[in-house]
Amino acid sequence: MLLEIDGLTKHFGGLAAVSRLDMQVNKGEIVGLIGPNGAGKTTVFNLVTGFLQPTRGKVVFDGKNITGKKPHVIAELGIGRTFQLNPLFADFTVLKNVVASFHLRPKSSLLATYFNTATYRRNEAYILEQSREILQLVGLDTVSDELAKNLPHGYQKMLGMARALAIKPRLLLLDEPLAGMNPDEIDFSMAAIKKTRQQGMTIVLVEHNMQIMDLCDRVVVINFGHKIAEGLPGEVRRNEEVIRAYFGGEYVA
Amino acid sequence: MELAVISLVNTLVLASMYILVALGFALLFSIMGILNFAHGAVYMIGGYICYGFAVQLGINLWLSLLLAVLIVASFGLFLEKFCFRPFSGNFDRTIVVCIGVILILETTVNLLVGYNVWSIPEFASGIIRIGAIHLSAERLITFIIGGALLLIMVWVINGTRTGQQMQAVSQDPEGAALQGISIHRVSALACFTACGLAAVAGSLMGAYLSLTPFMGSQMLVKALQLVILGGLGSIGGIFFAGLVVGAIDATLPLFISGAASQAIAFGIIVVLLLFRPQGFFGRKSG
Amino acid sequence: MDVMDKQLSIRNRNLTKPAVYAGLIVILSLLPLLIKSPYWLHVFILIFIYIIATVSLRVITTSGQFPLAHAAFMGIGAYTSAVVSKELGWTPWLTIPLGALAAMVIGILIAYPFARLRAIYYAVVSLFFGIGVLQILFVFEKWTNAYGGLIGIPYLLGATKVPYYYFFLGLTSLCLLALYRFEFCRIGTNLKAIAQSYMVASSVGINEARYRVIAVAVGCFFVGLAGATYAHYNVVLSYTSFDMLATLWLVLYAIVGGMGSFAGPIIGTAVLMVVPELFRELKEFVPFLSAGILLVVVFLMPQGLVGLPQLVRSWIVRRRERKAITHAS
């Protein structure tokens, strides 16, 4: 088991955003975390990646308790993530966004970096090559010299994923990877996610778009911070509580 | 006993003046998101304008005060429209504009005044006796005007529609705009009020102490002290910090040298900031 | 062919830039042969010193922090070096690095608690710290003679200007080289990444607090160095050189030149320090001149003075276009 969430709870003031959530993710799986707006999906991501401190509960990654660790430590342990509102290094080019995200592997010491040693230069050359590869994977190699802020929305989302891949994660958390994309971009992004998965990546994703459920091996549904269903995409789609809580009549067909 | 009462009165006088200036500074920060480094210069110019009317032109002192406040408050409108609004949210460029304003105001005053130290005539003269205690009427009137204005400000901010609009803008400008609140109107009003208050303080302090071209930067430091100690955005915090800083400034010099008392005051504040960078009352800024 | 072109142009640029800098240094080294006036040498020396200060200030801002205590750190360097060399009789060559280190250590000490604060809060709190730290001078009045001004500081290179001119030309060039490398290696990239989005930066494993402290440490070291060398050049120190207004002036030099580029603070410092000297006969009206420059830059040049050539170019292009259109019609 790669990620184990155990009784995770987060209160904001008196409000429970996430409440006693249990969830497991196995190596090589794609797990969908779905639920209506405000269900607490993004909060779960923020708790797992250390951007928020849980009120109670435990997060174990690859046998290591990572509850309450700082975001950069969790990144170093191998969890990459994207963000829903997709902040970027807006004034960097696309390529530089990815290059800058290669902070961890390989890592040069401060002194080696400053004094431009042979090791540092070798690392940087390797990083450049790897960054180009990642950009090719997510289909951004044609715009690698554009400033990130000038990219269309869908491309920016893909850049977010490219950046997360740059830390060479073992687990990838994608927060609404398809939000705001047009159909072409959606097809393209889904293909990229599939490709990443074929390379052995474990992925958890939060999404509203139902298309993505076809990619998932398993789906966890939460509402008001509680888990209300879990299972294969097909099963969940037929689950009545889920239909009531989330899909509403019109989506079922 | 007498010493205690006198330092209490001095504390209240200084505190009310500091708070008047700091309140305006904080108003501009929370509503427009700018640090108005020119606020001290505005305070200074208020004092000099009042002096100009009262002494040079021989107009009635209270009328001079009123004129000075109106002129400086209108200057606030000018500042808002031409110096702050074009750069709203741009911290760097606001600093440059503010320093430009400081340079122009201070140089103008320097050219007109030279090295003369002037003082505005007393707003009230005589000594008031309460039992064995003698108090100058000047101090009392300073405190009374300052205190009354502060009470009015608290009422305006908490009790009136305008005040509620100001609070709405400071908490969530976009939401406030959606509700049909004119941000420009609120900002202009804030600037008008803030500069007017500074002018009152400048005139009163010009009578209580004296006028110097440097009084602006001294007061700016005080306003910053209050705003930071109280926590940016907390009005209650500013009042509390004003009393603390006023007490330090009014009392400590009676016992130790001025320099040492300032050093102690700053020492306390720096230590406090190391442990509580958000000030006494500030929210955690995350 | 496109790629070839690009590579060629990159190679060209790689050669032009160092050539321009080398040329500039050569011209500056020849300057004392032309300018005999000690007054103007003094102005140039001060510009060299303040360039170190403003460029080091900008290094801190690349990490998204806006420090408003920078002149105070210059003061820490200056007074540490001055007092130690004067009271203990150490040679300035030893006390200058000591002063720079003192500024750096104090910078690190405050950077940790303040690393929690963002943007404008950091600016305000650091401004206040700058005012507070200066009060230490008044506590140690015995050594610093804060009110009257500290005098009798040992000279670094004697009383004539020319040796200092070359010393500071060399020192400033070295400091700029060091800071340039700092900004344009991965460390600087990380700082800029943090400034653009601290969330994304930490999600890719950049330790935000650590890098912010590094930026402050480096910035404070160099400004401390500038202050310490200034102390042994000027041999008289007054606390007004390091107070809040002095800090704001440093910020101003940097902003007017342009915070967006490495050259910005250099140009800003040079222009804002030279122009008032050129118009010295205006005397007490000089501040109006400075204020005028500030307002022109802030209203017309959003990128600062470094943006001027681009501004002029786009203006010419627009004019030509307009001409072409009128000719056509």
Side-chain angles (χ1 to χ4, degrees):
Chain A
M1 203 175 298
L2 192 60
L3 180 73
E4 193 176 352
I5 295 173
D6 189 11
L8 198 64
T9 302
K10 176 69 186 177
H11 292 284
F12 291 118
L15 212 72
V18 176
S19 171
R20 273 176 271 132
L21 180 76
D22 298 321
M23 189 175 154
Q24 287 85 34
V25 179
N26 296 313
K27 264 189 191 121
E29 264 188 323
I30 296 192
V31 177
L33 182 63
I34 63 173
N37 264 329
K41 297 161 295 184
T42 299
T43 311
V44 173
F45 273 18
N46 284 335
L47 289 169
V48 170
T49 50
F51 282 89
L52 288 172
Q53 304 294 316
T55 313
R56 266 192 304 280
K58 202 160 79 161
V59 182
V60 179
F61 176 66
D62 203 20
K64 214 178 254 165
N65 186 349
I66 58 165
T67 323
K69 288 227 176 4
K70 289 260 170 61
H72 68 265
V73 177
I74 290 173
E76 194 151 3
L77 288 170
I79 302 184
R81 70 167 293 181
T82 64
F83 295 87
Q84 192 177 356
L85 295 173
N86 205 35
L88 298 155
F89 300 142
D91 296 327
F92 284 170
T93 63
V94 169
L95 182 62
K96 183 129 191 211
N97 260 273
V98 182
V99 168
S101 303
F102 261 100
H103 175 68
L104 293 169
R105 275 168 281 270
K107 191 167 185 164
S108 313
S109 73
L110 284 176
L111 287 179
T113 305
Y114 188 77
F115 291 107
N116 204 13
T117 61
T119 329
Y120 170 71
R121 273 181 312 214
R122 207 170 331 117
N123 284 345
E124 290 298 300
Y126 172 77
I127 285 172
L128 199 62
E129 181 192 315
Q130 288 279 302
S131 303
R132 292 227 160 90
E133 241 167 65
I134 289 177
L135 283 179
Q136 205 157 18
L137 176 74
V138 299
L140 292 175
D141 46 335
T142 49
V143 290
S144 58
D145 291 331
E146 295 280 333
L147 286 186
K149 62 181 170 196
N150 296 338
L151 287 187
H153 182 82
Y155 283 40
Q156 291 191 346
K157 277 268 165 184
M158 292 315 289
L159 179 56
M161 187 166 137
R163 232 177 24 216
L165 287 173
I167 73 167
K168 305 266 166 185
R170 281 179 293 157
L171 172 66
L172 191 58
L173 307 181
L174 302 176
D175 200 344
E176 301 205 6
L178 305 184
M181 285 190 173
N182 65 36
D184 286 346
E185 289 170 342
I186 288 183
D187 287 345
F188 190 84
S189 309
M190 301 242 305
I193 294 172
K194 266 186 213 154
K195 250 190 276 176
T196 322
R197 191 262 178 93
Q198 277 158 11
Q199 296 181 350
M201 185 72 67
T202 312
I203 300 174
V204 179
L205 44 85
V206 159
E207 187 53 69
H208 285 295
N209 191 312
M210 282 299 103
Q211 259 180 293
I212 207 140
M213 295 221 341
D214 303 330
L215 274 182
C216 298
D217 299 307
R218 219 149 39 83
V219 174
V220 173
V221 188
I222 61 174
N223 194 15
F224 296 117
H226 288 276
K227 180 157 81 176
I228 59 172
E230 178 169 9
L232 299 173
E235 290 170 12
V236 168
R237 219 173 279 206
R238 287 189 298 273
N239 182 313
E240 281 199 14
E241 197 181 352
V242 176
I243 295 169
R244 236 184 298 118
Y246 178 32
F247 301 109
E250 69 223 272
Y251 281 96
V252 185
Chain B
M1 178 61 198
E2 190 174 346
L3 195 67
V5 174
I6 288 175
S7 27
L8 179 70
V9 171
N10 286 349
T11 299
L12 291 175
V13 170
L14 286 180
S16 61
M17 293 299 106
Y18 293 167
I19 298 169
L20 273 184
V21 179
L23 199 61
F25 187 88
L27 213 57
L28 294 184
F29 176 73
S30 55
I31 288 176
M32 306 179 69
I34 55 159
L35 292 177
N36 181 15
F37 285 107
H39 212 60
V42 168
Y43 155 87
M44 170 209 60
I45 209 84
Y48 274 100
I49 291 178
C50 181
Y51 177 89
F53 280 123
V55 177
Q56 311 251 320
L57 300 180
I59 298 174
N60 172 287
L61 189 58
W62 294 97
L63 191 61
S64 308
L65 174 66
L66 190 69
L67 284 172
V69 170
L70 282 178
I71 290 172
V72 173
S74 316
F75 180 66
L77 290 180
F78 169 84
L79 278 182
E80 196 273 336
K81 182 143 171 76
F82 295 105
C83 299
F84 298 152
R85 201 188 294 170
F87 312 111
S88 63
N90 189 325
F91 181 62
D92 306 8
R93 292 167 78 195
T94 318
I95 291 189
V96 178
V97 171
C98 286
I99 295 181
V101 172
I102 295 178
L103 276 178
I104 292 172
L105 293 182
E106 282 194 353
T107 315
T108 310
V109 169
N110 241 333
L111 286 174
L112 295 175
V113 179
Y115 291 99
N116 302 317
V117 175
W118 290 345
S119 193
I120 296 172
E122 294 186 320
F123 283 88
S125 52
I127 302 265
I128 293 169
R129 281 162 221 253
I130 306 166
I133 295 155
H134 303 240
L135 289 171
S136 82
E138 174 67 23
R139 280 172 205 199
L140 280 179
I141 203 91
T142 306
F143 167 66
I144 288 168
I145 297 175
L149 274 176
L150 288 177
L151 286 178
I152 292 172
M153 279 310 292
V154 170
W155 172 71
V156 167
I157 291 171
N158 291 317
T160 66
R161 236 182 95 74
T162 313
Q164 278 163 1
Q165 289 185 346
M166 283 180 171
Q167 286 186 5
V169 173
S170 78
Q171 274 155 19
D172 177 12
E174 281 167 33
L178 284 177
Q179 285 178 0
I181 298 174
S182 159
I183 293 187
H184 287 167
R185 204 183 69 88
V186 171
S187 307
L189 206 63
C191 239
F192 185 83
T193 318
C195 291
L197 292 178
V200 175
S203 305
L204 293 176
M205 285 295 267
Y208 176 56
L209 300 171
S210 61
L211 294 168
T212 70
F214 316 108
M215 65 194 265
S217 43
Q218 288 160 3
M219 188 49 113
L220 179 64
V221 171
K222 292 296 168 202
L224 280 168
Q225 253 175 331
L226 263 57
V227 169
I228 292 163
L229 268 183
L232 280 164
S234 158
I235 290 178
I238 289 174
F239 276 80
F240 181 71
L243 288 171
V244 171
V245 175
I248 291 173
D249 284 359
T251 320
L252 276 184
L254 298 177
F255 305 105
I256 48 180
S257 80
S261 74
Q262 281 304 305
I264 289 172
F266 278 96
I268 294 170
I269 292 161
V270 167
V271 169
L272 177 97
L273 285 179
L274 287 178
F275 292 101
R276 239 188 113 70
Q278 69 273 30
F280 287 136
F281 290 83
R283 290 166 297 228
K284 260 213 164 124
S285 61
Chain C
M1 193 204 127
D2 259 19
V3 179
M4 279 294 282
D5 267 0
K6 211 177 252 170
Q7 275 174 350
L8 277 178
S9 73
I10 285 171
R11 192 168 302 157
N12 270 339
R13 214 185 306 139
N14 278 351
L15 279 178
T16 357
K17 264 195 176 173
V20 168
Y21 293 139
L24 202 62
I25 289 180
V26 169
I27 292 170
L28 284 172
S29 344
L30 295 177
L31 220 52
L33 302 179
L34 300 170
I35 298 175
K36 293 290 177 210
S37 141
Y39 184 82
W40 275 99
L41 285 180
H42 176 70
V43 170
F44 272 98
I45 290 168
L46 286 184
I47 291 174
F48 291 150
I49 295 172
Y50 275 91
I51 282 175
I52 302 178
T54 49
V55 172
S56 66
L57 173 88
R58 188 181 154 276
V59 159
I60 303 179
T61 64
T62 58
S63 67
Q65 309 177 91
F66 210 106
L68 290 180
H70 218 52
F73 283 101
M74 193 173 175
I76 292 172
Y79 275 95
T80 307
S81 183
V83 170
V84 171
S85 66
K86 189 183 166 193
E87 300 295 329
L88 302 180
W90 294 13
T91 153
W93 293 104
L94 257 174
T95 60
I96 287 173
L98 193 71
L101 282 175
M104 183 173 86
V105 168
I106 294 177
I108 292 172
L109 284 181
I110 69 148
Y112 261 108
F114 291 173
R116 282 184 283 171
L117 301 171
R118 279 184 212 300
I120 211 161
Y121 289 85
Y122 182 87
V124 181
V125 172
S126 67
L127 176 122
F128 196 68
F129 179 84
I131 301 169
V133 102
L134 217 58
Q135 300 295 321
I136 297 173
L137 295 181
F138 297 98
V139 177
F140 297 109
E141 179 80 39
K142 191 172 115 197
W143 294 304
T144 62
N145 192 20
Y147 282 113
L150 181 59
I151 52 168
I153 304 167
Y155 276 115
L156 185 65
L157 300 168
T160 48
K161 302 278 180 204
V162 177
Y164 285 106
Y165 181 91
Y166 287 108
F167 172 76
F168 281 110
L169 179 61
L171 183 75
T172 305
S173 308
L174 282 179
C175 288
L176 290 184
L177 215 59
L179 288 168
Y180 189 85
R181 174 67 195 154
F182 183 77
E183 180 171 345
F184 292 97
C185 71
R186 185 167 275 275
I187 304 172
T189 306
N190 286 345
L191 295 177
K192 285 175 187 167
I194 290 168
Q196 291 171 69
S197 170
Y198 68 92
M199 289 210 317
V200 173
S202 49
S203 86
V204 297
I206 298 171
N207 184 344
E208 190 204 353
R210 177 158 177 253
Y211 274 93
R212 285 178 61 166
V213 171
I214 290 174
V216 172
V218 168
C220 288
F221 177 85
F222 281 97
V223 81
L225 186 65
T229 44
Y230 169 77
H232 296 283
Y233 159 69
N234 207 46
V235 299
V236 173
L237 288 180
S238 152
Y239 77 95
T240 51
S241 316
F242 311 112
D243 63 4
M244 179 176 72
L245 210 61
T247 293
L248 290 179
W249 272 106
L250 287 183
V251 171
L252 220 61
Y253 291 159
I255 297 175
V256 167
M259 283 295 225
S261 78
F262 190 84
I266 304 173
I267 294 170
T269 309
V271 169
L272 278 179
M273 287 181 78
V274 163
V275 168
E277 299 301 335
L278 286 176
F279 295 92
R280 226 177 342 145
E281 53 275 31
L282 292 177
K283 289 196 178 109
E284 55 268 72
F285 290 93
V286 165
F288 285 129
L289 192 70
S290 307
I293 299 178
L294 300 187
L295 295 178
V296 166
V297 168
V298 84
F299 280 103
L300 302 178
M301 303 175 208
Q303 310 295 322
L305 287 170
V306 279
L308 190 59
Q310 209 180 344
L311 224 68
V312 171
R313 208 177 304 142
S314 72
W315 181 73
I316 292 173
V317 167
R318 238 180 300 143
R319 241 181 83 122
R320 275 193 197 147
E321 268 172 15
R322 214 178 303 145
K323 242 184 207 165
I325 289 167
T326 45
H327 275 295
S329 62

